[in-house]
Amino acid sequence: MLDSLQLSLCDTQGQLFELSHKYGYASEPFVRGFMKSGISEDMDKAFHHVQWAGKEYILSRMKDEVSQELKQGEIFDSEALFWMGYLYRFWHFYTGESSREIYRQAPAKAMNVAFLPYHSLSPEMAVDRLKSTYQAKHGG
């Protein structure tokens, strides 16, 4: 079970992903850029100041670190983006896996497809199903 601080970080990451919709950033490169960035590595740490800096600060840091991923293109539904951001962070706390490893198992396109059938599940069930789907496709 996640504590209130961890749940707050899940919410912040969800809001960050949702903010990408507001700014018109193409969802797939935005999500990939974040999940493979030094920013997500900092978010994965037990404590790092970026965790408490807020979505606008994190976005400004993305503009510095992964500006090539912040471009025009297909934008996913804002609710799907919030869910993705939230679930990716939840997944990290739930399994201890890094953001990079999580993204390898569930890239943005797969998460967008999973939103409709999985968003009403508990986060634990959604992560478990996404992991089992990946394992079935990739042999364990």
Side-chain angles (χ1 to χ4, degrees):
M1 188 70 157
L2 273 60
D3 64 35
S4 62
L5 296 176
Q6 291 169 323
L7 291 170
S8 177
L9 290 174
C10 294
D11 195 55
T12 296
Q13 189 164 306
Q15 291 174 24
L16 170 69
F17 280 37
E18 192 175 43
L19 191 60
S20 73
H21 186 278
K22 175 183 171 188
Y23 283 95
Y25 295 133
S27 298
E28 190 175 356
F30 176 89
V31 173
R32 179 182 57 245
F34 176 81
M35 293 298 288
K36 294 183 169 189
S37 72
I39 303 161
S40 67
E41 288 176 16
D42 289 343
M43 294 285 288
D44 290 346
K45 293 177 181 173
F47 176 79
H48 192 275
H49 76 278
V50 77
Q51 296 168 337
W52 306 109
K55 63 185 186 261
E56 294 285 353
Y57 171 80
I58 297 169
L59 186 60
S60 72
R61 198 168 144 193
M62 286 185 70
K63 289 175 184 175
D64 293 338
E65 289 185 32
V66 294
S67 60
Q68 72 280 5
E69 302 290 2
L70 305 180
K71 53 190 168 191
Q72 301 298 303
E74 180 188 2
I75 302 171
F76 301 158
D77 179 80
S78 63
E79 288 180 28
L81 284 164
F82 178 88
W83 177 80
M84 277 184 225
Y86 186 99
L87 195 67
Y88 279 139
R89 183 60 32 209
F90 184 92
W91 188 329
H92 164 73
F93 291 127
Y94 180 57
T95 68
E97 293 171 88
S98 71
S99 292
R100 280 183 185 268
E101 175 61 20
I102 292 165
Y103 191 79
R104 187 174 67 75
Q105 297 173 71
K109 277 187 180 180
M111 291 290 278
N112 193 44
V113 170
F115 171 69
L116 238 55
Y118 291 2
H119 79 278
S120 61
L121 300 175
S122 71
E124 295 89 349
M125 286 180 72
V127 168
D128 290 343
R129 288 190 184 178
L130 287 161
K131 285 181 73 60
S132 67
T133 299
Y134 175 80
Q135 290 165 352
K137 287 181 181 176
H138 296 90

